[in-house]
Amino acid sequence: MLTVPSYGFEHQCKEIHDSWGQLNRLVLGLAMRTRLERQQIRETYKAIYGEDLVKRLQDVETSGISRNEAAGVSPKLCAALPLWMLDMHECDAVVAREALQQDNTNYKALVEIFVGRKSSHILLMKQEYQARFKRQLDQDIINIEPPNPYQKILVALVASHKAHHLDVSNHIAKCDAKRLYETGEGSPGAIERGVVLEILSKRSVPQLKLTFSSYKRIYGHDYTASLKRGDFREFENALGVVAKCIYKPPNYYAKTLYGSIKGITGDKAAIERVMVSRAEVDMDEIQRVYKKKYGIQLRDALSLCENIPSTDYRDFLVALATKMNELC
């Protein structure tokens, strides 16, 4: 069983400071720390050495792959550790920027942020995005080229964080469920995208979750099942992903991890992104779903994953999974 070291933050900061070029020595110690402890380590490091630990880790990452490899440190670990040490809103800002800069925009990474975080967090994240990258995240999403169904849905989700009420309403959920039915499987034509986008833009994520729950209770099946009828197009596919992420997050993330571990999807960063972003949110439930659906513990699946080289980076991911498994 992995245990958190008993010594204080000053000792660990000294160990970190003395380990540049050998970051693999830090993996287990940092992976087992809570988010609050990581913040305290970062603050302590700043107080002792006068520099931001995350910035120092990022400097190691950008100093040259050959240098890191020569020291026995995988480049992926050099990228993962700074992400792990960031505050959650800082991490999401970095993930959002990386998602937008890819040749093929990583829409799922963006959806996970806007669906999986509270509006207060989204505000902080957008402020961090602007401060760090000198850009407006909302505008970057609007300006994505070429236009994409995911983009339209993301624009609606961005609006929902600005306009929604905190309280949820069963009455509104039933009315919205009925509208979704009447403009979807209850209609002989194609799904009315305008109605769907309107609902997404005006309701909070908790309200949308209640709507999807009402839909299943009223019509006997998940809303996503209704999207697969007839001509299953790009918009319906994107909407289905978003609905799954809203309605059953642990199932969504378990499937995302499985696809990335097995190499089924092209989203190579999904393992690291999900493990870091959901570590202290719902990773315990994700692991239970993963074990139930795929018959293996997530940490064991990571240990056996052929798509992850047997390096310090794998040790880091397994340590994250082990940490949450022990807390279950």
Side-chain angles (χ1 to χ4, degrees):
M1 176 182 293
L2 297 174
T3 58
V4 177
S6 59
Y7 47 74
F9 299 130
E10 294 84 359
H11 189 121
Q12 189 160 17
C13 286
K14 184 178 186 305
E15 184 180 51
I16 292 170
H17 189 264
D18 294 341
S19 297
W20 299 122
Q22 295 179 307
L23 291 181
N24 49 335
R25 291 174 52 188
L26 311 178
V27 170
L28 298 186
L30 291 177
M32 301 307 289
R33 293 293 190 178
T34 66
R35 185 167 297 278
L36 178 59
E37 288 172 336
R38 298 197 303 276
Q39 290 173 350
Q40 292 173 321
I41 288 171
R42 188 176 173 185
E43 291 170 2
T44 302
Y45 192 92
K46 174 75 172 179
I48 296 174
Y49 299 106
E51 60 180 343
D52 182 13
L53 175 57
V54 172
K55 179 65 166 57
R56 187 71 175 87
L57 288 167
Q58 289 171 333
D59 287 344
V60 173
E61 176 192 356
T62 58
S63 63
I65 290 177
S66 58
R67 172 182 164 186
N68 295 326
E69 288 180 329
V73 183
S74 67
K76 289 187 72 66
L77 178 63
C78 290
L81 272 179
L83 206 62
W84 177 241
M85 295 301 296
L86 286 170
D87 286 342
M88 192 177 293
H89 68 280
E90 295 177 303
C91 177
D92 283 348
V94 171
V95 169
R97 186 61 187 152
E98 290 177 350
L100 286 162
Q101 285 185 305
Q102 294 183 21
D103 292 336
N104 295 314
T105 303
N106 191 337
Y107 291 105
K108 289 185 178 181
L110 294 169
V111 166
E112 290 165 13
I113 292 172
F114 282 97
V115 165
R117 307 300 194 198
K118 296 180 179 179
S119 294
S120 57
H121 173 96
I122 294 296
L123 178 61
L124 288 174
M125 184 269 295
K126 290 198 288 188
Q127 291 173 345
E128 175 67 24
Y129 187 95
Q130 183 174 7
R132 185 179 288 259
F133 304 113
K134 314 303 179 187
R135 307 176 66 88
Q136 296 280 352
L137 177 56
D138 293 4
Q139 197 60 46
D140 281 351
I141 291 174
I142 291 171
N143 292 338
I144 293 174
E145 291 290 345
N148 182 284
Y150 271 112
Q151 178 192 35
K152 297 181 185 298
I153 294 173
L154 279 166
V155 170
L157 291 173
V158 169
S160 77
H161 281 284
K162 298 176 181 177
H164 80 259
H165 299 288
L166 293 177
D167 295 333
V168 294
S169 165
N170 282 301
H171 175 69
I172 291 175
K174 291 176 183 177
C175 291
D176 284 348
K178 183 179 179 181
R179 290 184 71 196
L180 289 174
Y181 178 82
E182 291 175 345
T183 60
E185 64 178 314
S187 170
I191 186 173
E192 292 187 34
R193 301 180 182 184
V195 173
V196 174
L197 293 173
E198 178 192 347
I199 292 174
L200 290 177
S201 67
K202 292 184 177 180
R203 309 296 187 224
S204 67
V205 171
Q207 183 66 54
L208 291 169
K209 186 171 185 176
L210 186 58
T211 294
F212 294 134
S213 178
S214 295
Y215 194 102
K216 182 170 185 178
R217 188 166 56 251
I218 295 169
Y219 301 109
H221 55 264
D222 288 342
Y223 176 63
T224 52
S226 72
L227 297 173
K228 298 179 181 180
R229 67 186 182 90
D231 191 4
F232 191 49
R233 300 178 181 178
E234 282 188 311
F235 183 83
E236 287 77 11
N237 181 54
L239 181 57
V241 170
V242 173
K244 288 176 182 177
C245 194
I246 292 173
Y247 186 39
K248 296 179 179 178
N251 294 59
Y252 166 87
Y253 287 112
K255 184 176 180 181
T256 298
L257 285 170
Y258 180 80
S260 189
I261 289 172
K262 290 296 184 180
I264 298 172
T265 68
D267 190 359
K268 297 180 180 179
I271 299 176
E272 174 185 314
R273 183 179 75 245
V274 173
M275 296 293 294
V276 170
S277 68
R278 310 308 295 184
E280 293 171 32
V281 181
D282 55 0
M283 184 53 71
D284 53 344
E285 182 62 23
I286 292 169
Q287 293 204 67
R288 282 193 285 268
V289 171
Y290 196 98
K291 176 67 164 60
K292 183 176 180 180
K293 286 175 65 71
Y294 306 113
I296 185 174
Q297 293 281 6
L298 176 59
R299 61 183 176 184
D300 296 332
L302 290 167
S303 296
L304 299 171
C305 178
E306 297 179 356
N307 296 316
I308 306 175
S310 181
T311 62
D312 42 27
Y313 176 66
R314 180 188 287 188
D315 293 340
F316 175 69
L317 296 177
V318 172
L320 293 186
T322 302
K323 168 190 173 184
M324 295 313 302
N325 190 66
E326 291 178 351
L327 293 176
C328 292

